[in-house]
Amino acid sequence: MRLDKFLKVSRLIKRRTLAKEVAGQGRITINGNKAKASSIVSVGDEMTIRFGQKVVTLEVTSLKDAAHKDEADSLYRVISEEKVD
């Protein structure tokens, strides 16, 4: 599954266009490599996303083409959340 679609389905980022912008700015890595919006996400991948003053590291646990709001957070597991100055 494409990175931008995963971020939207998992509700980590609300809109797919916003996910493309964030990836284009180099704020997302998958398994330590900078990711583009078109990067392929697989189960077991470790992803790091920089949201303003916060860095979230998570593991992809499952992939779905669509997910309801209550099951969206089951697509990933948060490993760590750090504040950055």
Side-chain angles (χ1 to χ4, degrees):
M1 174 181 289
R2 285 175 54 109
L3 173 63
D4 55 349
K5 183 166 183 178
F6 174 78
L7 293 172
K8 181 189 177 302
V9 171
S10 65
R11 290 176 168 70
L12 286 163
I13 296 179
K14 280 188 174 185
R15 294 183 316 273
R16 198 164 170 179
T17 54
L18 185 59
K20 286 180 183 181
E21 286 179 25
V22 171
Q25 294 169 356
R27 294 169 35 193
I28 302 174
T29 61
I30 298 176
N31 297 326
N33 301 315
K34 281 192 178 183
K36 295 180 180 179
S38 61
S39 297
I40 301 301
V41 176
S42 304
V43 174
D45 283 351
E46 187 173 296
M47 187 181 306
T48 304
I49 308 170
R50 189 166 39 89
F51 295 104
Q53 302 299 316
K54 186 169 64 169
V55 175
V56 179
T57 303
L58 52 96
E59 178 186 358
V60 179
T61 56
S62 68
L63 299 173
K64 291 185 179 180
D65 285 333
H68 292 287
K69 190 185 288 187
D70 56 339
E71 64 183 12
D73 61 349
S74 68
L75 299 178
Y76 60 91
R77 178 178 63 88
V78 176
I79 297 170
S80 70
E81 215 172 300
E82 306 167 11
K83 285 198 171 194
V84 178
D85 293 332

